[in-house]
Amino acid sequence: MTTSKLLASDFDDPQATLQSLHDRICDTAQLPLNQARALPAATYTDDAQFAWERDAVLVRQWLCVAHISQINHTGDYVNLDLLGERISVVNAGTDGIRVLSRVCAHRGMDIMPPEFGHAAQGNCDNFRCPYHHWVYALDGSLKGAPLMKDHPDVVGGHMSLHAFNSVVWQGFVFVNFSGDAEPINTQFGGLETHLARWQMDELVMVADIAWDCPFNWKVLVENFMEPYHHVGAHQSLFQPILPAQGCWTDEEGANFQVCHLPLSKALQQKVKAGEPQLISFKPMPALIEEDFLEWTVYLAAPTMLLFVAPDRVYWYRLQPEAAGRMQLRTTLLVHPDSIQAYDYVQTLEAETELMRKFHLEDMEMCGAVQSGLSSAAYSPGPLSALEEPVWLFQRYLARQIQLRA
Ligand code: FES
Ligand SMILES: [Fe+2]
């Protein structure tokens, strides 16, 4: 190492240090693609940067928290902790899909605490807080409070669990904690035409794997979106079938990215000869011929990641926790007719194993990258043209910084 990454003055004023990092991120992001470089390490390791991202970006945007097949029936719920909020995604029947805070309106207890062994997913008629047994309807309204029936606040019928701003879009449930994100159709305008033929609201989730990740959420986003790492991390699993050198990225969308991963030439020839390739489940019924020639990865910024193939969709649920940690679910969605196939159980087992295997390859890389970013020896290197999604994500980050400046 020849130069210090931080100036002495950076340590004097945390605000100035963050400002200096933001300047460096913006300077890097404005380089043309053929001169693009990786970002400074502090983008991924600095606690103040993570706090800024949480407050200035993540809580202000639409974050994807569930697929509707997880909450098909009235009373179905999925619980998760996201950005310090304990939430429940609930099917409240005629009251629609709600994203409720699990913080009791009495004295703040989590109404479904995982620490007490409460299931993170299930079905119920109502919610009962374990502390003093206050009961809430599925829409979050308070229905009863033992020995307090006559209390004016309880009698008034105005008490409830807090409902966060939420919306169902393309079959997925999104939450916006700040309550003032722009409409999701505006936020991701144009993306729906890419996804339409997959009819995501019809799909069913058939696998859901939890991962405790010792790395920054942006390390995962960048890894997920760029196909360059097929030559290394996935040289056996993906490089032969989705070779890096054929991949390409769509022009910049305001808040989303699309990266195309064409099948190898040999596989494409077979598809064109009428032999669909890499198909295990029932292909989505509305697809056109060219949909069978590639797999595609999508980022609906900041955190929604989709890996889409003719017969499946992998959706990743991200829960950033700190600069160097996140929780992750890797999930598999298929067309419901797939489940009728005589060999479905074996197919699902094999495909779930494949999902675990290729994600494990990514986990190992992302964990080692985070370690490298924490080293004094790290220095941002040049990006390949195949890392265009990383460059686009830098530009997204720079826009967020400029928006809040
Ligand atoms: S804190 Fe929930 S009932 Fe008292
Ligand atoms: Fe990967």
Side-chain angles (χ1 to χ4, degrees), residues 37 116 146 177 187 194 214 265 293 318 334 345 382:
R37 301 192 76 81
F116 291 17
F177 289 119
Q187 179 88 16
H194 289 271
K265 292 230 158 40
L293 295 173
L318 278 67
V334 300
V345 173

Side-chain angles (χ1 to χ4, degrees), residues 30-45:
Q30 56 84 36
L31 294 169
L33 177 58
N34 62 6
Q35 294 172 34
R37 301 192 76 81
L39 290 175
T43 316
Y44 309 91
T45 59

Side-chain angles (χ1 to χ4, degrees), residues 254-283:
N255 294 301
F256 68 88
Q257 292 181 24
V258 186
C259 182
H260 303 268
L261 317 178
L263 270 53
S264 70
K265 292 230 158 40
L267 291 180
Q268 286 198 39
Q269 274 171 7
K270 289 185 180 172
V271 174
K272 287 172 185 164
E275 299 171 47
Q277 297 294 305
L278 311 178
I279 302 295
S280 298
F281 301 104
K282 179 185 163 59

